């Protein structure tokens, strides 16, 4: 039996036994409230491998491989050493299944993910233990060292929202809507997002009641229940569903989500004159005005830009206190429409001066990714990209002072998709149909009575921790923080892929954080 300890930022594959960061030692570092994590890849074993961690309290996961059936949407003319990470079809260890200490092998191969929580170690210092692997009487003892730096990771400040639709996952758990088991499992998904440092949720739940006189009442009880539940779990902000939507990417008309009226029709404007003030007053009554952001109509384009801007003006006229947000690409017809601009990272970088100018009026700039960008080495979280891309995305938030991150899907499996067998599902958006790149629909898998994390979700957590460290150092010495960032991340499409150089850069980041007393 042979084993390799591999850095958490490097993918494992069931058909590969050589890794750039391979070591025979578990030698990790973290903050006092951080996690020291690594893969352990085993090959040449018997039918089962047991694992035991001595000297530390640790989370242990069995890694499960899933298929990447296609490099769909990837421009083969843009191929290079790093993009895509592999030519499909292939299988990759993306799933982290909580482990009871034993794992079955396939052809003598299995993988574990070991995560040591430093909070249980009692403070800063160097701590030693070992990890014992055993299979068919063959025992390997892995020496383990965890260096805990003397600083505390700051509380999350970056606004992070990714779509969570439990209805798409509940069918895999065989639970009925409204049952206690349905709610229990749903909460476990939400806790998993909080573990990753997501602090914002998409939110809806407004019921429209048309009265006999043609006017409207609004029932916010479901919205209130969901919001209170999320606040109890530690979520702080909410991205309210868009006021409008499109039926066609070629149409100028925006429809109202709650009524399916033309937003610019007399009936639509009358509805908005009642709904927006009622929503504003409700949030004010609850003390939630500073927690909610309101979408206008997702991803405006040339066809509907003018109507989008007019709709934003109508909303703002009734509720100037509520910040308006939307994901979009750069469009000079939209100036002044939003309070929070969320461009694709590629669109931001290519139109940096224009987007940055919006800050002069007090606007926030975030970033988002979805099924794109998918070329020119731009960061995304796809399963056929380098795993570290999922981490580096948030270095871009520090680099460009982007105060939020949005993705449409943390758990949004498509109607005909089983994420265990299909990573690239069919997708319909208005009158557009496509096949999505691998992993675009999810960062969490439906496990046995519970959700299972993905490695990409873990790399999001690590990247978000990196962001907070960089931000804190930058508040004390911006030149120093910028230098640490630039060592590994120069732009959204130019980063350090040498994993050993990345680890050295990360070590310098942690040393600096300790010197500056990050807390």
């Amino acid at each position: 039996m042979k084993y390799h300890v591999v850095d958490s930022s490097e993918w494992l594959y069931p058909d590969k036994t050589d890794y750039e960061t391979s070591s025979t030692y578990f030698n990790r570092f973290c903050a006092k409230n951080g996690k020291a994590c690594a893969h352990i890849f085993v090959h040449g074993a018997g039918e089962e491998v047991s694992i035991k961690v001595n000297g530390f309290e640790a989370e242990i996961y069995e890694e499960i491989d899933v298929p990447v059936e296609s490099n769909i949407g990837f421009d083969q003319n843009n191929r290079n050493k790093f993009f895509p990470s592999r030519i499909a079809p292939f299988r990759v260890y993306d799933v982290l299944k909580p482990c009871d200490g034993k794992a079955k092998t396939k052809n003598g191969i299995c993988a574990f993910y070991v995560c040591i929580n430093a909070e249980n170690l009692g403070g800063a210092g160097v701590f030693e233990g070992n990890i014992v692997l055993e299979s068919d009487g063959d025992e390997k003892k892995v020496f383990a060292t965890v260096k805990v730096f003397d600083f505390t990771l700051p509380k999350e400040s970056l606004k992070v929202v990714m779509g969570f639709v439990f209805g798409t996952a509940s069918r895999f758990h065989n639970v009925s809507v409204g049952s206690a088991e349905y709610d229990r499992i749903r909460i476990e998904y939400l806790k998993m997002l909080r573990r990753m440092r997501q602090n914002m949720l998409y939110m809806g739940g407004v019921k429209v009641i048309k009265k006999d006189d043609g006017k409207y009442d609004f029932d916010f009880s479901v919205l209130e229940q969901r919001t209170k539940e999320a606040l109890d779990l530690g979520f702080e902000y909410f991205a309210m569903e868009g006021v409008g939507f499109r039926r066609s990417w070629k149409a100028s008309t925006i429809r109202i989500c709650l009524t399916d009226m033309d937003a610019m029709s007399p009936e639509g404007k009358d509805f908005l004159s009642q709904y927006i003030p009622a929503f504003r007053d409700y949030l004010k009554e609850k003390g939630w005005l500073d927690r909610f952001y309101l979408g206008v109509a997702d991803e405006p384009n040339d066809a509907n830009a003018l109507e989008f801007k007019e709709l934003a003006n109508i909303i703002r006229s009734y509720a100037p206190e509520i910040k308006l947000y939307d994901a979009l690409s750069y469009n000079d017809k939209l100036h002044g429409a939003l309070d929070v601009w969320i461009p694709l990272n590629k669109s931001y970088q290519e139109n940096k001066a224009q987007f940055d100018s919006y800050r002069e009026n007090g606007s926030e700039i975030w970033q988002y990714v979805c099924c794109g960008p998918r070329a020119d080495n731009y960061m995304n979280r796809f399963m056929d990209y380098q795993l570290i891309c999922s981490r580096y995305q948030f270095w871009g938030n520090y680099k460009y002072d982007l105060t939020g991150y949005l993705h449409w899907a943390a758990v949004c499996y498509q109607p005909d998709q089983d994420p265990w067998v299909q990573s690239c599902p069919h997708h319909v958006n208005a009158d557009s149909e496509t096949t999505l790149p691998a992993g675009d629909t999810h960062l969490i898998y439906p496990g046995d009575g519970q959700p299972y994390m993905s490695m990409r979700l873990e790399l999001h957590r690590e990247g978000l921790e990196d962001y907070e460290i960089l931000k804190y150092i930058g508040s004390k010495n911006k030149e120093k923080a910028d230098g640490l960032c630039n060592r590994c991340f120069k732009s959204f499409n130019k980063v350090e892929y040498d994993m050993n150089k990345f680890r050295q850069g990360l070590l310098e980041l942690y040393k600096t954080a300790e010197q500056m007393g990050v807390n």
Side-chain angles (χ1 to χ4, degrees):
M1 177 177 62
K2 297 181 179 180
Y3 72 89
H4 305 268
V5 179
V6 179
D7 191 88
S8 60
S9 295
E10 187 175 0
W11 278 123
L12 296 186
Y13 303 95
D15 62 346
K16 180 180 178 180
T17 58
D18 60 310
Y19 293 95
E20 185 179 355
T21 58
S22 178
S23 171
T24 56
Y25 301 97
F26 185 99
N27 187 8
R28 305 285 99 187
F29 58 83
C30 63
K32 288 191 293 186
N33 59 336
K35 301 177 189 296
C37 308
H39 307 282
I40 300 181
F41 182 81
V42 179
H43 60 104
E47 293 184 357
E48 185 177 85
V49 177
S50 67
I51 182 171
K52 184 178 180 181
V53 178
N54 298 310
F56 302 103
E57 291 184 26
E59 303 169 25
I60 303 175
Y61 301 88
E62 177 187 359
E63 300 197 29
I64 308 296
D65 59 292
V66 287
V68 173
E69 62 268 31
S70 171
N71 300 119
I72 191 74
F74 191 83
D75 184 353
Q76 294 301 320
N77 294 323
N78 277 287
R79 276 195 63 192
N80 59 37
K81 180 180 179 182
F82 301 108
F83 290 87
S85 56
R86 296 188 77 172
I87 299 299
F90 63 88
R91 298 184 71 86
V92 62
Y93 285 110
D94 190 40
V95 184
L96 299 177
K97 176 184 177 181
C99 179
D100 62 359
K102 295 181 180 180
K104 298 291 185 183
T105 64
K106 296 179 183 177
N107 300 316
I109 292 172
C110 68
F112 298 99
Y113 180 70
V114 176
C115 194
I116 294 170
N117 294 307
E119 287 182 312
N120 298 324
L121 297 177
V126 177
F127 301 87
E128 296 181 353
N130 60 66
I131 301 169
V132 178
L133 303 168
E134 193 278 330
S135 180
D136 287 351
D138 184 9
E139 183 178 283
K140 303 292 183 185
K141 185 174 289 187
V142 184
F143 183 66
T145 300
V146 174
K147 161 68 174 175
V148 179
F149 282 93
D150 192 13
F151 73 89
T152 302
L153 291 168
K155 183 180 183 295
E156 59 268 16
S157 64
L158 190 72
K159 295 182 179 71
V160 176
V161 59
M162 297 189 293
F164 169 61
V165 183
F166 184 59
T168 70
S170 62
R171 56 192 166 96
F172 295 99
H173 296 289
N174 194 29
V175 289
S176 301
V177 176
S179 68
E181 186 67 358
Y182 179 99
D183 287 335
R184 182 192 68 79
I185 298 175
R186 179 177 56 83
I187 293 297
E188 290 303 310
Y189 277 84
L190 291 171
K191 287 179 178 178
M192 197 163 279
L193 294 177
R194 284 295 300 130
R195 182 187 192 277
M196 183 275 299
R197 287 181 161 241
Q198 178 166 330
N199 58 359
M200 189 174 198
L201 278 181
Y202 283 113
M203 193 59 68
V206 177
K207 182 180 179 181
V208 179
I209 304 165
K210 190 170 184 179
K211 299 189 291 186
D212 293 340
D213 61 1
K215 298 297 183 181
Y216 298 93
D217 277 337
F218 303 94
D219 182 352
F220 297 107
S221 59
V222 173
L223 173 66
E224 182 169 336
Q225 178 185 355
R226 293 175 179 175
T227 302
K228 288 180 176 179
E229 175 186 78
L231 290 169
D232 287 344
L233 290 170
F235 292 93
E236 296 184 77
Y237 302 100
F238 304 95
M240 191 66 180
E241 61 186 359
V243 172
F245 73 100
R246 59 160 56 84
R247 288 198 179 280
S248 170
W249 289 87
K250 300 175 183 178
S252 63
T253 303
I254 295 176
R255 311 290 294 180
I256 298 174
C257 288
L258 292 174
T259 65
D260 198 20
M261 296 174 180
D262 180 346
M264 294 298 108
S265 68
E267 297 81 8
K269 290 181 178 179
D270 180 57
F271 176 82
L272 293 172
S273 73
Q274 298 175 65
Y275 169 58
I276 301 301
F279 180 57
R280 175 204 61 207
D281 292 346
Y282 171 75
L283 294 182
K284 187 174 182 179
E285 175 193 340
K286 294 298 177 182
W288 293 341
L289 269 171
D290 61 340
R291 294 186 183 274
F292 272 77
Y293 292 65
L294 181 59
V296 179
D298 188 45
E299 295 183 320
N301 62 359
D302 277 339
N304 70 358
L306 296 180
E307 190 158 318
F308 178 95
K309 189 170 183 178
E310 178 60 22
L311 177 56
N313 288 336
I314 291 172
I315 297 169
R316 188 174 282 120
S317 71
Y318 293 120
E321 310 95 326
I322 301 177
K323 291 183 178 180
L324 303 183
Y325 79 93
D326 261 316
L328 74 173
S329 293
Y330 180 73
N331 188 319
D332 60 9
K333 298 177 184 178
L334 298 173
H335 286 217
L338 297 172
D339 304 294
V340 180
W341 301 80
I342 312 179
L344 286 167
N345 60 29
K346 182 176 188 290
S347 182
Y348 171 80
Q349 193 163 297
E350 292 176 345
N351 302 277
K352 182 177 181 300
Q354 293 92 330
F355 278 115
D356 285 352
S357 71
Y358 299 163
R359 302 183 207 266
E360 296 174 6
N361 296 321
S363 293
E364 293 183 58
I365 315 296
W366 298 5
Q367 61 136 328
Y368 90 110
V369 293
C370 55
C371 54
R374 184 69 168 150
D376 302 322
N377 299 348
Y378 277 93
M379 296 293 99
N380 215 312
R381 56 170 226 198
F382 302 131
M383 294 162 66
D384 61 350
Y385 276 21
Q386 302 296 321
L387 179 56
I388 198 171
C389 289
S390 292
R391 183 173 193 161
Y392 271 142
Q393 289 182 94
F394 304 103
W395 288 57
N397 282 89
Y398 171 77
K399 169 84 174 182
Y400 299 114
D401 192 23
L402 307 175
T403 54
Y405 172 88
L406 179 150
H407 192 286
W408 71 280
V411 180
C412 292
Y413 314 133
Q414 298 303 280
D416 59 350
Q417 180 189 12
D418 180 345
W420 290 101
V421 299
Q422 187 181 29
S423 299
C424 303
H426 178 252
H427 176 69
V428 177
N429 185 332
D431 56 351
S432 173
E433 296 189 33
T434 189
T435 300
L436 295 174
D440 192 35
T441 57
H442 59 283
L443 289 174
I444 301 176
Y445 291 81
D448 184 12
Q450 62 182 313
Y452 294 163
M453 294 189 298
S454 69
M455 274 309 305
R456 292 171 296 134
L457 189 77
E458 270 292 272
L459 267 289
H460 273 33
R461 175 185 61 78
E462 293 189 330
L464 286 163
E465 292 174 356
D466 300 340
Y467 166 84
E468 298 297 348
I469 297 172
L470 283 164
K471 182 183 175 185
Y472 183 88
I473 295 172
S475 71
K476 301 295 183 181
N477 186 333
K478 189 173 188 308
E479 183 179 356
K480 181 68 173 178
D482 289 352
L484 290 165
C485 180
N486 291 337
R487 180 169 175 172
C488 295
F489 184 103
K490 292 181 172 56
S491 70
F492 278 118
N493 61 343
K494 188 177 182 181
V495 300
E496 179 58 74
Y497 285 110
D498 183 310
M499 293 302 304
N500 292 303
K501 290 182 179 179
F502 168 73
R503 291 300 300 182
Q504 285 301 312
L506 192 67
L507 182 60
E508 286 302 313
L509 180 67
Y510 272 65
K511 287 179 178 178
T512 304
E514 183 176 60
Q515 292 166 4
M516 291 190 174
V518 173
N519 54 49

